[in-house]
Amino acid sequence: MHKYKVTTPINLSKITTKEVDSNAKDKLKKARKQLSELQDTMYAHGKYSMLVCLQGMDTSGKDSLIREVFKQVNARGVVVHSFKVPTDKELKHDFLWRHYVALPERGKIGVFNRTHYENVLVTRVHPEYIMGEKLPSVKSTNDIDDTFFHNRMEDINNFEKHIADNGTIILKFFLHVSKEEQKNRLLRRIEKKNKNWKFSAGDLEEREHWSTYQACYEDAINRTSTEKAPWYIVPADDKPTARTIVATTILETLESYKDIKAPELDDKTKARLDEFRAQLEND
């Protein structure tokens, strides 16, 4: 899945939002079975964790992707965090604190549904949100300029480097959906009664900032796609294909860590296996 990996500066407007793989569902079914088995080994091995970061515009398919990609993985081994508006307690800490405490333990996969990048995306489109953090250096929104956000991106790079150096495998996925497809998905939420609960008038308000969001995503991706924490731009207009790309990327990445193996029994226990078997059979 290297073709989706960001290794050089990108221009989002020139990257397709739609790819259709007619065999996507079959490939996903196979990939998630393999992912389930590999995560079991990863859990037993206990030396690495994995952080999967999902970002995208409203309706890009983050929730359903999580459900479909990880549905066969042992619930013990996957922890999903959906980050909303910061709480009062979270605002009393630095912007990365709530993400740091949510990181996965060794042996587990953590999924951030919306991530620490909201702090250089939503807040960049709506700089007034920063005022709630009560930062000593910020007296008004006039202090919240490009340099402010670029410094935050550098903080994020340092954060990701630190956790990567300590055994967290990081994958970041931008679900790249077109404005036209977003419109269609929002209309479906209105037209289908069982989808009404997903609709929010706020989605339409944010849609008005589409171009600004695209520019913010492009800048953030270009500044924070690193070897230890790469971004992948996933065409998301076709959900089955997007899910397969993400699942396959996760699987291939874990498979590249050749040292992830189930631990072996110690020699003393191995030597007594026949004894233990007999004990159980005679119980």
Side-chain angles (χ1 to χ4, degrees), residues 21 26 44 53 58 79 84 87-88 97 133 158 211 243 269 278:
D21 184 342
D26 289 337
C53 296
D58 294 323
V79 181
K84 306 297 184 183
T87 64
D88 289 341
W97 177 81
E133 298 182 27
N158 291 332
S211 296
R243 295 164 185 165
T269 303

Side-chain angles (χ1 to χ4, degrees), residues 71-235:
K71 69 192 305 179
Q72 285 187 248
V73 177
N74 193 316
R76 168 199 64 193
V78 178
V79 181
V80 179
H81 290 275
S82 297
F83 292 100
K84 306 297 184 183
V85 175
T87 64
D88 289 341
K89 180 178 180 179
E90 290 167 345
L91 286 171
K92 292 183 184 298
H93 293 271
D94 68 89
F95 78 95
L96 286 170
W97 177 81
R98 67 174 180 158
H99 305 285
Y100 198 100
V101 298
L103 289 171
E105 304 167 19
R106 288 187 175 88
K108 295 188 177 184
I109 298 174
V111 183
F112 283 3
N113 182 359
R114 296 190 183 275
T115 71
H116 40 293
Y117 284 92
E118 293 290 285
N119 297 284
V120 294
L121 295 167
V122 174
T123 55
R124 199 171 185 183
V125 177
H126 301 283
E128 63 274 14
Y129 294 170
I130 295 290
M131 301 308 296
E133 298 182 27
K134 298 180 180 179
L135 298 173
S137 61
V138 176
K139 303 299 188 295
S140 72
T141 53
N142 292 329
D143 298 319
I144 308 169
D145 54 11
D146 287 347
T147 298
F148 175 90
F149 288 107
H150 292 164
N151 287 339
R152 282 206 160 183
M153 291 178 207
E154 191 58 33
D155 289 339
I156 288 173
N157 283 335
N158 291 332
F159 164 69
E160 291 174 347
K161 179 182 183 301
H162 173 68
I163 64 175
D165 288 344
N166 283 274
T168 299
I169 302 165
I170 305 169
L171 295 175
K172 302 178 297 193
F173 298 97
F174 172 60
L175 303 185
H176 191 27
V177 67
S178 66
K179 192 174 184 181
E180 181 66 19
E181 179 60 21
Q182 187 196 59
K183 180 181 77 171
N184 294 335
R185 292 179 185 181
L186 288 171
L187 284 171
R188 282 198 292 274
R189 290 181 179 183
I190 293 173
E191 293 163 357
K192 294 189 175 183
K193 288 186 177 181
N194 65 329
K195 300 291 185 182
N196 284 171
W197 66 274
K198 288 187 174 184
F199 181 78
S200 168
D203 293 341
L204 298 184
E205 294 173 9
E206 291 303 282
R207 183 174 163 82
E208 294 297 317
H209 301 287
W210 182 275
S211 296
T212 305
Y213 270 110
Q214 296 298 300
C216 291
Y217 267 111
E218 184 176 298
D219 190 34
I221 290 170
N222 282 331
R223 289 178 180 272
T224 63
S225 191
T226 64
E227 189 55 38
K228 291 185 177 182
W231 276 102
Y232 292 80
I233 300 179
V234 179

Side-chain angles (χ1 to χ4, degrees), residues 236-269:
D237 282 4
D238 183 72
K239 288 187 177 182
T241 300
R243 295 164 185 165
T244 300
I245 291 170
V246 171
T248 303
T249 302
I250 294 171
L251 180 62
E252 289 179 353
T253 300
L254 284 176
E255 287 177 335
S256 71
Y257 285 77
K258 302 302 182 183
D259 58 329
I260 298 180
K261 296 179 181 179
E264 294 187 7
L265 292 173
D266 60 87
D267 291 341
K268 184 177 180 180
T269 303

